[in-house]
Amino acid sequence: MTAQAIDLLFDLNLTEEQRITRESLIRFSNVEVQSISRLSDEDGAVPADFYDKTAQLGLSLLSIPEEFGGAGMPRSPLSNMLSLEDLGKGDMSLALGTMTPLSFVNVLLDQGSESQQEKYLSEIADEKFKVGTIALMEPKATFEATELDTTADKTDAGYILNGEKSMVALAEDALSILVVAQCDGVISAFVVERGAEGLAIQKEEFMGLRPLGLYRVTLTNTLVSDSARVGGSDNPFDVQRVVDLGNIGLCAAAVGCCQAVLDYVVPYVNERVAFGEPISNRQSVAFMVADMATEIEAMRLMVYRAASRAEQGLGFHKEAYLAKVLVADKAMEIGTNGVQLLGGHGFTREHPVEMWYRNLRSVGILQGVAVV
Amino acid sequence: MTAQAIDLLFDLNLTEEQRITRESLIRFSNVEVQSISRLSDEDGAVPADFYDKTAQLGLSLLSIPEEFGGAGMPRSPLSNMLSLEDLGKGDMSLALGTMTPLSFVNVLLDQGSESQQEKYLSEIADEKFKVGTIALMEPKATFEATELDTTADKTDAGYILNGEKSMVALAEDALSILVVAQCDGVISAFVVERGAEGLAIQKEEFMGLRPLGLYRVTLTNTLVSDSARVGGSDNPFDVQRVVDLGNIGLCAAAVGCCQAVLDYVVPYVNERVAFGEPISNRQSVAFMVADMATEIEAMRLMVYRAASRAEQGLGFHKEAYLAKVLVADKAMEIGTNGVQLLGGHGFTREHPVEMWYRNLRSVGILQGVAVV
Amino acid sequence: MINLELPQKVKNTQMMSHQLAAGVFRPIARKYDKIEHCEIPKELVPVGKMLAAAGSGGKLGADGGGGGEGVKNGGNMMGVVGTTEMAWGCCGLMLSIPGMGLGNAAISAVGSPEQKEKFGKLYCAMAITEPGCGSDSAAVQTTAVLEGDEWVLNGEKIFATAADRGDAVVVWASLDKTIGKAAIKSFLVEKGTPGMSVVRVEDKMGLRVSDTAALLFDNCRIPKENIMGNPEIADTEEARKKAFGGVMQTFDNTRPQVAAMSLGVARAALELAKELLEKESVCPQYNKSFFNSTALEAELYKMEAELEASRLLTLKAAWMADNKIPNSKEASMCKAKAGRVGNYITLRCVEICGSLGYSEDALLEKFARDSKILDIFEGTQQIQQLIVARHVLGKSSRDLK
Amino acid sequence: MINLELPQKVKNTQMMSHQLAAGVFRPIARKYDKIEHCEIPKELVPVGKMLAAAGSGGKLGADGGGGGEGVKNGGNMMGVVGTTEMAWGCCGLMLSIPGMGLGNAAISAVGSPEQKEKFGKLYCAMAITEPGCGSDSAAVQTTAVLEGDEWVLNGEKIFATAADRGDAVVVWASLDKTIGKAAIKSFLVEKGTPGMSVVRVEDKMGLRVSDTAALLFDNCRIPKENIMGNPEIADTEEARKKAFGGVMQTFDNTRPQVAAMSLGVARAALELAKELLEKESVCPQYNKSFFNSTALEAELYKMEAELEASRLLTLKAAWMADNKIPNSKEASMCKAKAGRVGNYITLRCVEICGSLGYSEDALLEKFARDSKILDIFEGTQQIQQLIVARHVLGKSSRDLK
């Protein structure tokens, strides 16, 4: 992150570096992601080699300090956000899965101590796909990230964790799970390592995001050492930052998915003939498409602004919050209209629009993933 | 009100009596109300003789017992609701004004003692237009009818009222004002007579309903006798009933107004030509009209159901509440779309749609008027 | 006299349907959603028999009946109320009850006595839509040519509900494509007739248990008497319009029934969402004005209002049909409103229940998948708006397309 | 590099405009809304002079400028930001500043040096719309015929902002109605020219202080040199399209400015609503997720999100214009979104503030009256949707009407 030293102009151009990265990511998304999207949805799993392919993109590695095995590049919420948009256009589930380790890395880079970074990031920094993940949500309709039921109690031996976490991405494969919990009246976070005692992991099934692999993580008197606590009493864990950066990432993936909807329906409605003309000659169809395009652009700009502020070290909570409010609403509208525009065909699994409908419903729900 | 003794069929037919009353009211609304609607709006007042003309309809008199000068007909929320719909089609402001005394009458019929009915209703029951009105609202954005700032304190001499009431219809001409106030921790109501000490009445100006005459009523240590209190500790004043019956009436007037919008825009969009065709040949125009028609019918049925339940002596709070939720939303949508369909012309005061836009905005706001 | 409460006899239908829905459909709704493609679910076989015995088969669209003189609450209202309850249980299962196909309804409405005798007891699907036409029912490309004592059918049909599991299919085909609407007739084709084949059963987002098949007719020969209604093509423009109008009018009776499906699924979602939220102490009491409530309460109120509005529109359309009042406009109004509201409510309920809503542990996510098609089939939202608009504006389908 | 914050120089413009709006416009907004029809409000005369001196007249639609090489934040962005602030103060008053008419913008964009010299300092209105054509600019019926050294104008114009108070009017007229769009040219007519008369000044729901006049041209003769742009009618179909395209392109620059008016009015409403609610202890803190908030908080968040989205779309369209990137689609996107959002926000703010919102004691009700026209003029919501749709779908105006 660079502090806003200079007086930047309003600008929507990518840097040269971003442009090059985008090009390769878009190619990857088109060739490797989109092509397996439907298959993965039907299987409820990604092909075996997919994540290792993504590891070669080096996204998770990029900002890990060189001494811990990474590339030591500056941490860039903006670039991560763009990656999520591009991958999300190929497939939201696979985008979120691909970025899961990076989420974990980003939180530790932002809030972990050096020794924690060394311990937990070194094992992620690999050319194979290694997983760290965040366990924030709990199985509650009125879940609020700042009011958790999961607890951490300090004992002489360390902290004892108890509680139930939901929608934890790739938990089964995770080397480390960052568990957010209530501790002494404040929200704190603890790294729980694979195989810890009292740690139970169970697959959850959802309406969409089926290939992502979301898990119920149950902690029963799970003991972690003092050094596993991220942040402390003097620098308390900033859960809001995790939520906000996660919202930016999730919204970016949703913008990508919405763009995929638009790109799919435009040729469809132009080619589909009813009552003697392409259905796109009808205002009800055309205006729906126009509104989709307008709202996608609006969502994108909201997300860009929040990410750009984060990048520049400016406050971005309100911007991320409002982006989420808008995207939760409009992305679902686009999801349902995508199906509507294809009529009965949109309801079949022969076309991807029904899958996007199911995936986009997650936007208003998911938290603590895709932390950019 | 008749208790639902028999097993009634689902039915939308009017009774013969209702049909005849409607016919004459619709005629009155078309001839006497609609014709002065714009003029009254511009003047912010009704023509001098208008209300006396409405008095000849006998609406307020109808259910007052014969011994107090009325016609002694059964009290009928359903018929009152229909009257509001019909008058509202001619003009919402004039409809609400016309029904203001009846609101007062209805509350006293429902909740007043016999001696209160004798005292206060006898003077209303006249062939000239005599006003009683209800002072419920207070000048607060978050106004809640069950949490009032106006107070009534019991003293030896009676009750001392203090507070500020807003949007009190026709207060300046009122012989009696039913003031709803907090008294000993419960909501109570008191009849304050014209000229009472400490009673100040001041005209308020609003976006719409300009001819209605809505007033700020300020009570400063206004003393009323014990007998002025409607209801008591054993039969507490039911403010929710007033709110619910008022919502039914207001919503009915709004349904009438929305019907006026529809009836006005249909010939307009059929005649107006742009790009070589009537604009109603365009789906964006036609679907807007279709949705108007659909939502008007939906609102109407919601209001009818609540009124019909009230008529039958069934519980109707939830039905009235939901009707208000729907009507506040859809009536304004119809109001703004009415202007939109006329384009720039709709924004001028040459056409009535801008007035309906302003009037319909009151639906989500007004309470305690048009108590059916 | 204006009364929008249901009379006891309709409530009885409602209660019985609800018992069936709660007792039989609900417990197996998730199971069959997961299984997706299968034979007729065995739990539905006795249901079909029971309903057939009760004479419910093909009752959709039947007229008033009962009630003697004056106003009637008859078959259409019973149908709407019963359908709502069954769809509340599981819309997919309801559409899979053997013997209760859309084809059965058509036979019951326009079939000859012989056809009713022969096909009435079978499970009959309906095949209208073709790959090239969605809501444009007049653009049917499947042809029927009389050769001797047989009709020869050629063409392709898609989205035929129950066409795989059914015993027979009612097929729309054109006697002469140059003539258009007036030449479209419907034909009865028994399962196993050579030349008719099931091309595929669709994989769908929702209503998974209900089979939706694509059919191919390749010189499929059926007896001459298997044509339904008048085999002649009307010879004047006026008569042709009327003929097709008659075909379309059958939709006036079925649209409120599909609206009822939407109502059922939406109410199921709303009730379930409230149950889940109540466990977390969200208990809407209607005791504060809308904007003084919490966001969750306000959302629930809004959904409830929209649902109730859709329900009343649907009841009105059914009531008009029962009382022989032309209801084409109202049938489309209720279908349009219930369709969009059903989709809005089910999606919103998933959202406000967060991970619990999105999870397969509850049925909310299934309702949100099922509801989408109800705003599409039997005429999309947009087609319904067109029909309403034409009525309100006094336009022909030529002026307003 | 992606940055959606405003640079200091744009913030300066914003601040200065805000001071003007808060110091001059706001205090007199209610007064002139009540007065409605009057001469140029005296408080605006010095404002007009000041802005003219600052060179702001006609800057709307001017290109980038400033910033040297690379990306530019120029006149369009300044215009959008300044307009937003002024409309925040009072949109009607902003439209009544002498010397800042839409005609001035047109002259500045396409006028000849002589025309700029002569008319640049006058207060110039723009007259396009006619009684028979709303958003259909190509259907202009007013004619201009060259007779000797004079153009003779005949026809009727409506909805011409500032045409009563202005010193001159830019009038759209056709040289040959059989040719259509390509024959439409614009002409400069000075106030007092015989044959031009103000038929009436409209009584309006909102923007009451702004004069909106209907004009009649009855053999109105103006000098030959008062035609703007090329006096020839393009002779090929291609060139004709291009010529009218050029006329329409001027709208690409003004649409974001009208969007900015919507932003200003909506933000004014939202800020005022928040102020009123804060007094009653409603203080949204963005500290609970959307559905765990109160209904009022959730409403405020939703409005704020929609407003911010509209603002960013508008800035983007202006930024594209500043950087010479064709922005017809984006100009319509921001106009469509800001128009509908502005109307939604202002109406909602009245509602959530109850009697305080509806009352003339506050300006909320005025904002709700003013905002409506901003979703109509300079192309209605529906026209903007058409333009966006044509771009996205790759359609001509013949395919998609």
Side-chain angles (χ1 to χ4, degrees), chain B residues 7 9-11 142 144 270 280-281 283 287 295 297 305 308-309 312 317-318 321 330, chain C residues 1-3 5 8 73 286 288-289 292 301 304 306 308 316 319 337 340 385 393 395 401:
Chain B
D7 183 30
L9 290 180
F10 180 100
D11 190 11
T142 57
E144 186 70 54
N270 274 337
S280 57
N281 286 7
Q283 285 192 341
F287 286 17
E295 296 298 347
E297 193 55 38
R305 184 173 183 217
S308 160
R309 289 183 64 93
Q312 296 178 44
H317 168 59
K318 185 175 152 187
Y321 188 100
K330 305 299 179 193
Chain C
M1 129 131 209
I2 292 174
N3 171 56
E5 310 309 307
Q8 198 53 51
N73 289 177
Y286 311 91
K288 288 235 178 191
S289 60
N292 289 338
Y301 298 150
E304 191 138 353
E306 293 283 5
E308 172 68 0
K316 178 174 180 181
W319 173 81
K337 175 97 180 159
R340 65 188 178 228
Q385 286 172 311
L393 293 162
K395 299 240 162 200
K401 355 178 231 202

Side-chain angles (χ1 to χ4, degrees), chain C residues 108-218:
Chain C
S108 155
V110 297
S112 66
E114 297 74 26
Q115 288 167 341
K116 285 182 188 171
E117 169 67 24
K118 184 168 175 195
F119 292 91
K121 310 235 158 180
L122 300 182
Y123 184 11
C124 300
M126 184 100 141
I128 302 173
T129 311
E130 303 186 353
C133 78
S135 295
D136 185 3
S137 313
V140 162
Q141 297 295 307
T142 299
T143 54
V145 177
L146 191 62
E147 289 187 8
D149 278 350
E150 293 181 325
W151 291 102
V152 184
L153 303 183
N154 276 289
E156 204 183 335
K157 292 287 175 184
I158 55 171
F159 302 152
T161 302
D164 185 41
R165 291 185 196 137
D167 307 309
V169 186
V170 174
V171 181
W172 286 30
S174 173
L175 301 189
D176 183 346
K177 284 198 279 181
T178 63
I179 290 179
K181 300 174 178 185
I184 296 171
K185 304 285 172 184
S186 51
F187 300 84
L188 288 155
V189 186
E190 280 187 85
K191 189 80 161 280
T193 304
M196 174 171 88
S197 54
V198 172
V199 179
R200 68 174 180 278
V201 179
E202 302 285 357
D203 294 330
K204 304 190 302 298
M205 171 162 74
L207 298 190
R208 290 186 165 203
V209 63
S210 159
D211 90 80
T212 306
L215 299 172
L216 187 68
F217 296 89
D218 179 12

Side-chain angles (χ1 to χ4, degrees), chain B residues 92-150:
Chain B
M92 262 183 86
S93 309
L94 304 184
L96 297 176
T98 300
M99 301 300 263
T100 292
L102 180 59
S103 276
F104 176 82
V105 168
N106 285 338
V107 175
L108 281 194
L109 288 176
D110 287 353
Q111 308 201 37
S113 67
E114 200 162 328
S115 63
Q116 285 169 333
Q117 291 180 13
E118 177 170 10
K119 180 166 181 198
Y120 303 117
L121 300 189
S122 303
E123 50 183 25
I124 305 277
D126 193 282
E127 62 199 16
K128 289 278 178 189
F129 187 74
K130 295 289 171 61
V131 179
T133 191
I134 300 163
L136 171 64
M137 292 185 70
E138 297 177 350
K140 254 177 94 171
T142 57
F143 171 75
E144 186 70 54
T146 52
E147 298 165 13
L148 299 174
D149 289 338
T150 300

Side-chain angles (χ1 to χ4, degrees), chain D residues 352-373:
Chain D
I352 62 173
C353 289
S355 61
L356 306 192
Y358 202 55
S359 163
E360 285 191 3
D361 290 348
L363 286 170
L364 286 177
E365 66 85 26
K366 178 179 177 296
F367 296 143
R369 287 186 285 111
D370 290 350
S371 76
K372 184 65 217 183
I373 194 65

Side-chain angles (χ1 to χ4, degrees), chain A residues 281 295 297 305 317 321, chain D residues 286 288 308 316 337 395:
Chain A
N281 286 6
E295 297 298 348
E297 194 54 38
R305 185 173 182 218
H317 168 57
Y321 189 100
Chain D
Y286 312 91
K288 287 235 180 192
E308 172 70 359
K316 177 174 181 182
K337 174 98 183 161
K395 299 239 163 201

